[in-house]
């Protein structure tokens, strides 16, 4: 799948937005990718995650993964569909008192080879938190994945990051906004609760 084909899925579902956005990382941006609007279409989710599964297999080999773990909320659909494409179970972590944890009876076998899967990576904070939770539960994280790496390859999640595509999207510290953003209110479309 080419980068233009990937972006076409986002454009055709109005999931590539322009304006002034406050990201879950605390950064501001003039563009926002709302993967949930793409993933609400099973055929699009399957196509994107099939392409991601092919990249995972090419990168780490076949049968190199026992389970996919995703952080709720944004990673749940991607994690499920990636697990389906890789023919392994898929589970997710949830925040409890602000910290990722396994709930709903989910657990990992000691030494389980895990792929951590997200929809979008910007700074890698949620990915690193989810990876810490996986390791604390006895899993071995062999790689992380995402549909779109908004950091354009600069985010460090502590393990190899396999993305369907890298995309440079401007992100700004709150005190370093360009004039066109400084004069407009920010919309908070992300899923992580900001303080």
């Amino acid at each position: 799948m080419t980068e233009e084909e990937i972006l076409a899925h986002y454009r055709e579902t109005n999931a590539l937005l322009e304006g002034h956005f406050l990201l879950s990382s605390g950064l501001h941006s003039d563009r926002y990718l709302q993967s949930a609007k793409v993933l609400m279409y099973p055929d699009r989710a399957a196509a994107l995650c099939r392409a991601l599964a092919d990249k995972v297999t090419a990168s780490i080999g076949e049968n190199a993964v026992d389970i996919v773990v995703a952080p709720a909320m944004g990673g749940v659909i991607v994690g499920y569909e990636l697990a389906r494409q890789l023919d392994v179970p898929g589970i997710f972590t949830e925040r409890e008192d602000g910290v990722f944890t396994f709930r709903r009876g989910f657990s990992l076998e000691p030494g389980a080879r895990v792929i951590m899967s997200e929809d979008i990576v910007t700074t890698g904070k949620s990915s690193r938190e989810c990876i810490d939770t996986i390791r604390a539960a006895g899993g071995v994280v062999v790689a992380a994945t995402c549909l779109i790496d908004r950091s354009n390859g600069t985010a460090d999640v502590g393990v190899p990051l396999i993305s369907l595509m890298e995309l440079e999207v401007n992100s700004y510290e709150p005190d370093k906004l360009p004039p066109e953003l400084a004069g407009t209110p920010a919309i908070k479309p992300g899923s992580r609760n900001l303080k």
Side-chain angles (χ1 to χ4, degrees):
M1 184 176 287
T2 67
E3 290 188 359
E4 192 49 46
E5 289 170 328
I6 296 163
L7 286 177
H9 283 288
Y10 278 80
R11 286 189 185 104
E12 291 166 6
T13 58
N14 295 317
L16 180 55
L17 309 173
E18 294 186 357
H20 182 185
F21 303 98
L22 180 56
L23 306 176
S24 59
S25 63
L27 299 174
H28 292 246
S29 182
D30 56 0
R31 288 172 52 184
Y32 186 78
L33 294 145
Q34 181 56 274
S35 295
K37 292 190 80 174
V38 176
L39 298 171
M40 66 189 270
Y41 299 98
D43 58 332
R44 292 180 189 274
L48 291 168
C49 290
R50 174 74 262 154
L52 183 57
D54 290 344
K55 285 188 87 168
V56 167
T57 301
S59 178
I60 64 172
E62 289 197 36
N63 305 313
V65 119
D66 300 313
I67 192 166
V68 173
V69 176
M73 263 312 291
V76 171
I77 295 172
V78 173
Y80 165 83
E81 185 60 29
L82 181 62
R84 191 178 77 81
Q85 297 287 346
L86 293 172
D87 196 26
V88 298
I91 62 176
F92 55 89
T93 61
E94 298 175 80
R95 289 194 188 276
E96 188 172 89
D97 298 324
V99 178
F100 279 128
T101 187
F102 288 105
R103 297 176 60 194
R104 304 173 194 272
F106 291 151
S107 63
L108 295 172
E109 293 291 324
R113 299 167 300 167
V114 180
I115 290 280
M116 191 288 308
S117 186
E118 284 260 36
D119 58 342
I120 305 284
V121 168
T122 300
T123 64
K125 182 179 179 187
S126 290
S127 297
R128 288 188 301 273
E129 291 174 5
C130 188
I131 288 167
D132 289 345
T133 302
I134 293 165
R135 288 178 173 154
V140 176
V141 182
V142 295
T145 67
C146 62
L147 294 178
I148 309 288
D149 176 0
R150 278 181 44 114
S151 80
N152 203 26
T154 64
D156 181 5
V157 299
V159 296
L161 177 61
I162 303 165
S163 64
L164 193 52
M165 97 177 260
E166 293 177 357
L167 182 67
E168 186 169 1
V169 178
N170 296 326
S171 298
Y172 307 97
E173 294 290 337
D175 60 344
K176 296 180 181 162
L177 296 178
E180 62 273 14
L181 294 187
T184 60
I187 297 167
K188 294 194 285 188
S191 59
R192 192 180 324 135
N193 192 10
L194 297 173
K195 302 218 177 214

